[in-house]
Amino acid sequence: MNHEQLLQTMQHTPFPERMAGFERTRSPQDPQPLAGGGWLIVEYKHLSEDVRFQVLIEQTGEAALQVQQDGHVTPLQRMSVEEAGHVLRRDLLMILEEIEDEL
């Protein structure tokens, strides 16, 4: 999947600047290339804790949702990029609130 295809897939997914106690630091319009291939396409950083919610597009073309806390990565879900767009449109606020509740 190239950047243009990624933008088309995510074009209807809202990524507000802030949600719950998190601030957006990465969006599909500005993906970060990852070592070994793939992209970091969505990232929300907690405002007071060292916690980040991240969505990666792996070299295989699958999306991975994960939480990075104090340098440790906890995988949440793996799915197609299209599925990730649906999950994020429907559940992003709930996902961020659940992460915050666990802090």
Side-chain angles (χ1 to χ4, degrees):
M1 174 172 281
N2 64 37
H3 188 236
E4 186 175 308
Q5 291 169 320
L6 173 64
L7 289 176
Q8 287 176 346
T9 302
M10 294 289 179
Q11 69 180 337
H12 299 296
T13 306
F15 294 107
E17 289 291 321
R18 289 192 179 190
M19 290 187 93
F22 289 82
E23 178 177 54
R24 190 186 74 222
T25 56
R26 182 74 51 196
S27 70
Q29 290 75 21
D30 183 30
Q32 177 183 344
L34 299 173
W39 294 321
L40 171 62
I41 63 161
V42 175
E43 182 176 71
Y44 279 87
K45 181 183 183 304
H46 195 270
L47 295 171
S48 61
E49 301 286 334
D50 184 19
V51 176
R52 295 171 188 267
F53 168 73
Q54 301 173 323
V55 179
L56 312 172
I57 303 297
E58 298 176 337
Q59 210 169 9
T60 62
E62 283 190 311
L65 282 61
Q66 65 183 29
V67 174
Q68 188 177 86
Q69 183 173 10
D70 299 323
H72 301 286
V73 174
T74 304
L76 298 177
Q77 293 179 309
R78 294 176 58 87
M79 61 195 72
S80 73
V81 175
E82 291 80 11
E83 287 176 296
H86 293 300
V87 167
L88 294 172
R89 276 191 290 281
R90 186 183 65 227
D91 297 333
L92 180 59
L93 178 60
M94 184 178 69
I95 292 168
L96 294 176
E97 287 175 340
E98 285 178 6
I99 294 168
E100 192 167 39
D101 287 346
E102 292 179 14
L103 297 177

